[in-house]
Amino acid sequence: MSAAKAPVRVAVTGAAGQIGYSILPRIAAGEMLGTDQPLILQLLEIPVEGPQKAMRGVAMELDDCAFPLLEGIVMTDDPRVAFADAEWALLIGSKPRGPGMERADLLKDNGAIFVEQGKALDDVAADDCNVVVVGNPCNTNCMIAASQAKRLAPERFTAMTRLDQNRAQAQLAKKSETAIADVENIIIFGNHSPTMYADFENATISGKPAVDVVSDDAWLKEEFLPTVGKRGAAIIEARGLSSAASAANAAIDHVKSLATPGGPLHSIAVRSDGNYGFAEGIWASVPVTTTGVGTYQVDTSFQHSEFAVGKLGVTNGELVEERDTVSSMLG
Ligand code: NAD
Ligand code: LMR
């Protein structure tokens, strides 16, 4: 009989929030790192009695699930306790936007969180800690945190655009009346904002080019792209709250894909080294293949039309602007 695996320490910030409530039971059930992987959850909330109390309530519910894989729960208001020896850190805790706001409007408030947490990760996280930023605006927050963590490799800092990929996949499946699994290679380029480019030109449906199957250029350009790009705002408008179940689901997909070498291409925002015309040093979403647990290679083989290159230029321009806005927060 093989020995049981050692537990992995998983830090989750914003543990009392909406996404926290959706994601924690799924992580503890083994949906993220595998059903044979024991774990210790290290939960962070702000030092305010309301969220602290709510976090204790979430932990009580986790206890009550009697998850066999869950070997311990740490609860704290100190990032240095939450991130100690963490191999995965999910940075969710931050303000969500309300109706009428853009995610970039959160930069000033949320950026400061990622300065502090980047430094704390640098001080105490495992050397090969994989940091996943969900809190918005996630690309630029991820850049801020990585810039503060000089000990950790910037490649280990990724921001979540998987929700956008999942949204795009679902929209293409609906339009073409095919199964979700038949839609492949649909990749998000750029920012997690309405400027993102959901690359329908390289997507396939049942192995054929999506553009041929859909056969409706106007729909792809004028309905599909804005629907995916503005889906977060549509959810806020409908629910009065930002997406949570689908965001938690996407964060699980993001980590699962990043922890599973050899799986299909997936979209994550990573530090740009100039591929696809993205400015070096910003965090832009691109296609990657996972090469090891937490390591990946950017797929540079995608071909783009003039239309797509124009879209990539716009989303790059926005990311450069965001970087310039937060220049004082970069380490
Ligand atoms: P929420 O307000 O329900 O919960 C956020 C929680 O984070 C709160 O409990 C708050 O107390 C906590 N928090 C705030 N600052 C913190 C800090 N410094 N350290 C630890 N915890 C802190 O919000 P939510 O709906 O869970 O969303 C969280 C973030 O995720 C928002 O920024 C939202 O915009 C973003 N989001 C991103 C995506 C994506 O696709 N990248 C999708 C959905 C939501
Ligand atoms: C989303 O895409 O649902 C999240 O980023 C929340 C938001 O502000 O849109």
Side-chain angles (χ1 to χ4, degrees), residues 218-265:
W219 181 83
L220 286 165
K221 290 180 176 159
E222 288 153 34
E223 278 193 52
F224 168 73
L225 289 181
T227 297
V228 175
K230 296 180 187 166
R231 187 69 161 187
I235 304 282
I236 292 171
E237 170 62 24
R239 272 183 17 100
L241 287 168
S242 74
S243 64
S246 55
N249 181 65
I252 289 196
D253 284 348
H254 177 120
V255 172
K256 237 165 63 181
S257 292
L258 203 48
T260 312
L265 279 176

Side-chain angles (χ1 to χ4, degrees), residues 12-21 43-48 50-52 54 76-77 79 83 91-97 103 106 109-110 112-114 116-117 133-139 141 159-164 167 192 232 236 239 241-248 250-251:
V12 178
T13 75
Q18 291 200 86
I19 300 176
Y21 192 72
L43 309 182
L44 181 69
E45 258 300 340
I46 50 173
V48 172
Q52 286 292 317
T76 183
D77 61 11
F83 298 147
L91 308 191
I92 299 168
S94 51
K95 253 196 203 167
R97 64 175 165 155
R103 298 181 188 98
L106 299 167
D109 286 341
N110 285 348
I113 296 173
F114 294 86
E116 186 202 8
Q117 294 186 356
V133 177
V134 174
N136 277 321
C138 61
N139 299 53
N141 287 338
M160 187 173 94
T161 50
R162 184 57 169 268
L163 178 53
D164 309 304
R167 287 167 171 165
H192 174 60
I236 292 171
R239 272 183 17 100
L241 287 168
S242 74
S243 64
S246 55

Side-chain angles (χ1 to χ4, degrees), residues 191-280:
N191 202 1
H192 174 60
S193 86
T195 68
M196 75 181 77
Y197 178 59
D199 184 4
F200 58 80
E201 291 177 352
N202 285 287
T204 60
I205 301 176
S206 307
K208 302 185 197 88
V211 285
D212 294 345
V213 177
V214 170
S215 188
D216 187 343
D217 195 54
W219 181 83
L220 286 165
K221 290 180 176 159
E222 288 153 34
E223 278 193 52
F224 168 73
L225 289 181
T227 297
V228 175
K230 296 180 187 166
R231 187 69 161 187
I235 304 282
I236 292 171
E237 170 62 24
R239 272 183 17 100
L241 287 168
S242 74
S243 64
S246 55
N249 181 65
I252 289 196
D253 284 348
H254 177 120
V255 172
K256 237 165 63 181
S257 292
L258 203 48
T260 312
L265 279 176
H266 56 107
S267 311
I268 54 175
V270 301
R271 185 184 183 284
S272 165
D273 58 6
N275 288 321
Y276 295 110
F278 288 118
E280 201 177 332

